[in-house]
Structures are given as structure tokens and as C-alpha cells.
Amino acid sequence: TGAQNTYVIGGLGIRGELDLFNRWAPTFETYLTETVGQEFNVTFELKYLNFDTTYTAVENSEIDMIFTNPSVYACVEREYGATPIASMLNLRQGQELDRFYGTFFVRNNSAIYNLEDIKDNIVEAVSISGLGACQLQWDELVQRGLDFLSDPKQVIFAKNQKKIVKDVLAGKADIGMVRTDMIEGMHANGEIDKSELRYLENIQEEVHPGFPFPFSTHTAAPEWPIGAIPGMNRTIAKAIGLALYALTSDHYAAQAAKYSTWITPLSYLGLHKMHERLGWIDQNNKCMRSSALYDAIVCPEGQFKQSREQVAGACAEANLTCPEGMSPPYECLCRPCMK
């Protein structure tokens, strides 16, 4: 094919395409093209991916590298043999962080004090593929003998973590699930008053003393990586790693995405183990796909998934409504698994 002159980095845009480009094009297009591009006479392009198109982009060789949430990255590693080039060192409230945890939170005046109280309450998460605002908490529940999809009377997927915080404050949900520092960040921006909220079972002191934010999950997620898809030119991959490691928090690229720098890759093994505990791996050793929520429902052992029609009508039957009027729209599940 001759020498390749454009390298494509697929980026997961959890807040949509515009947000992905505003935050990440300065790093992955401008900076890499100015540095590595100059040296090798190549250019770099960012391509927007969502949770579904990620897998097709890898399968169809549309991308050379991937920048994605650590759970999806572990899936791409498992299924296609991706290898990490660098991991992000994040910057939140002035703190450099190489990992994040999950939190459960309630309104301060709530009668809910422990995770067992998830039973028969309304829980709100981001999406079934979300990591910091779903899978980390789901994993904590599994380890406690609780079930994320069967125990609550309703699970609401908001598609946006700030909406989760606001919905719990407004009483639309009893328990919210977001990643560490989301509530502190919203408080610092004046969006909410965090004194109106309380964390459930904050284990930060015993699990990770010195971590700057409260959290409720034993499993941590290493920060987002950039990884190479098999076939990627090694010389260029190495140069990309070195260019990213050289970034500092005052650089325009780091400031656009609010991170500190990049570090040598972290281990994503803990997330492979989490996927196995969640039943997120099918018999073909592939991760669940979540383009249709129904297809991604995993029932606990001894229970089976109800039919599409039953699942679609379950909330109405229980006299529970799914919040409306947001884009992207909310999705809700009401006890989709049966004994």
C-alpha cells in the first residue's frame, strides 16, 4: 500500500461529537501533527465514535488507534489485541489522578444509608456501557450479592452524568451513580450545592487514603488510554507515546481537555476481571454490545431475561414513568429479569 500518510485516532465521544472535537482535536490532530507529523511527514485525524461504532470501526480497519473509556478499551484489547500507547493523567480540582472510582449518592435528607437499600428504590446511572457511572457500581453490587437490574424497582439511564446529579436532587431518582469528582466539579462550578447530597458507603479512607475524592466502589478504573490497533506502525506509535509524555498541564492541548499529561500505560486487567464478574463477556469471548439496551441486559444466575415486549412494557405496568424531554432520551428498565 506504500507509505501511509494519514493516521486516524478513533475517539469515544460520551458527550457527543462536538464536545469530542472541542476537547480532543487539539491533542490528537493539532499537537500530534505538529510534532510526530513533522518528523515523519504524516498527519493525524480524529474520528468520532460512540459505544456501537467503536467495534465496527476496528473491524473495518477505519482507525489506526483508539482513545476510549477503559471498559471499552479492555473489550477492544480482549477481542482485537489492541495495545496501549499511553494513559492519561487527569487533572480534577487541581489534583493529578491516574484512576477514578464510582460513587453512589442520595439526597442528604434521604432515609437510605447503605447499598442494601437499593432494593425497591429508583436508581439512576449513565448507560449500561458507562464505566464510572454504571459498571463500577454494578460490580460493587455484584460483590455484595445485590443485583443492579433486578433489585431496584426502576433503573433510569440518563446518558449524561450531570443529569443524574440534578435528577436525584429533584427527587426523580432515589440513588444516583456517578464517577468520582463529578459532584465536586459541579459544586465548584456553582451548578449544585453538594451539601444537599450525601455519599452512600464512602470507603475512600480504608481503600485509598490520600485519594482526594470520596467513593463507594472497591474497583478503580485506570484513566482513559490511547491504544494501537494491530498493524499500527510501531515507530510512529512510539513517537506518539513520547510526544504525549512530553505534554504539560499548561500546554494548549492539555488545557483544552483539562488533563495534566500522559504516562506510561496503566494495567487494564482489573477491568477484564470486572467484565467477567458482570457477565459482560459472552460465550464467544466478546463483550456485550449495547446498541439496543435489551441486548445488553445481563440477568443474574438463576434468572432469565423477559421478552422484548415484556421488558418494554414493564415500567408502565408498574406505574413508573421514564423521564422525558431530553436529548439524547432517557431509557428505563423495570425488573427485566425473572426468577
Side-chain angles (χ1 to χ4, degrees):
T1 53
Q4 185 172 342
N5 49 25
T6 303
Y7 287 86
V8 181
I9 298 164
L12 177 68
I14 57 172
R15 298 181 201 150
E17 187 163 2
L18 184 65
D19 176 82
L20 177 80
F21 278 90
N22 285 341
R23 290 197 302 157
W24 292 104
T27 298
F28 294 135
E29 291 191 341
T30 317
Y31 173 68
L32 287 183
T33 299
E34 278 173 2
T35 52
V36 182
Q38 289 291 325
E39 189 182 347
F40 294 96
N41 198 22
V42 294
T43 54
F44 294 92
E45 264 173 33
L46 182 60
K47 179 183 173 72
Y48 165 72
L49 302 175
N50 62 30
F51 283 111
D52 312 322
T53 54
T54 292
Y55 297 104
T56 49
V58 178
E59 278 164 21
N60 300 335
S61 306
E62 294 166 25
I63 58 174
D64 302 290
M65 287 160 283
I66 189 159
F67 171 66
T68 189
N69 97 11
S71 173
V72 174
Y73 178 75
C75 290
V76 175
E77 194 171 60
R78 173 187 289 271
E79 296 183 33
Y80 306 103
T83 50
I85 295 171
S87 294
M88 179 173 58
L89 187 62
N90 214 334
L91 194 59
R92 296 284 172 109
Q93 309 300 307
Q95 305 274 348
E96 287 189 330
L97 303 173
D98 67 353
R99 71 195 72 184
F100 56 94
Y101 294 86
T103 71
F104 292 91
F105 66 96
V106 294
R107 289 180 297 286
N108 205 13
N109 60 2
S110 165
I112 296 170
Y113 282 92
N114 56 46
L115 292 188
E116 277 64 24
D117 295 331
I118 201 164
K119 291 180 176 167
D120 301 324
N121 275 304
I122 296 174
V123 176
E124 191 164 333
V126 72
S127 72
I128 206 157
S129 306
L131 177 55
C134 183
Q135 290 187 348
L136 289 175
Q137 292 88 341
W138 181 3
D139 184 45
E140 190 67 23
L141 294 170
V142 166
Q143 296 189 59
R144 291 278 287 269
L146 296 163
D147 188 69
F148 167 56
L149 295 178
S150 304
D151 285 334
K153 67 180 175 187
Q154 184 180 39
V155 178
I156 301 173
F157 294 108
K159 314 292 168 72
N160 175 306
Q161 294 193 42
K162 289 187 175 184
K163 286 195 323 205
I164 301 171
V165 178
K166 289 173 178 168
D167 287 349
V168 170
L169 280 169
K172 291 181 189 171
D174 303 305
I175 301 173
M177 296 162 36
V178 292
R179 66 169 272 166
T180 38
D181 73 58
M182 174 56 65
I183 287 169
E184 289 77 12
M186 290 177 74
H187 179 85
N189 294 339
E191 295 173 79
I192 58 158
D193 175 359
K194 71 176 181 185
S195 69
E196 293 174 26
L197 297 171
R198 165 168 56 79
Y199 287 110
L200 278 190
E201 302 204 24
N202 171 16
I203 54 175
Q204 177 256 331
E205 281 300 320
E206 60 201 71
V207 174
H208 190 162
F211 191 79
F213 303 104
F215 60 85
S216 327
T217 65
H218 285 82
T219 302
E223 267 298 351
W224 286 43
I226 178 173
I229 305 300
M232 170 69 193
N233 179 304
R234 278 187 183 167
T235 310
I236 290 181
K238 177 182 171 183
I240 289 167
L242 293 173
L244 293 175
Y245 302 154
L247 280 170
T248 51
S249 61
D250 55 2
H251 189 280
Y252 71 82
Q255 289 192 334
K258 299 188 169 76
Y259 62 82
S260 177
T261 184
W262 294 77
I263 52 177
T264 49
L266 298 161
S267 167
Y268 295 88
L269 179 64
L271 298 181
H272 288 285
K273 292 179 171 171
M274 178 194 81
H275 286 155
E276 284 156 18
R277 287 191 296 269
L278 295 184
W280 195 247
I281 310 298
D282 69 15
Q283 58 270 37
N284 302 317
N285 203 31
K286 285 188 179 310
C287 290
M288 302 297 274
R289 302 294 194 255
S290 58
S291 46
L293 178 57
Y294 181 83
D295 297 329
I297 294 168
V298 180
C299 292
E301 218 164 303
Q303 297 190 26
F304 65 91
K305 184 157 51 170
Q306 300 200 65
S307 73
R308 276 178 201 273
E309 291 65 37
Q310 287 170 313
V311 169
C315 290
E317 200 157 307
N319 290 319
L320 293 164
T321 54
C322 198
E324 284 180 354
M326 292 296 270
S327 174
Y330 287 89
E331 290 188 287
C332 296
L333 291 174
C334 294
R335 299 204 154 115
C337 302
M338 285 288 284
K339 285 194 166 94

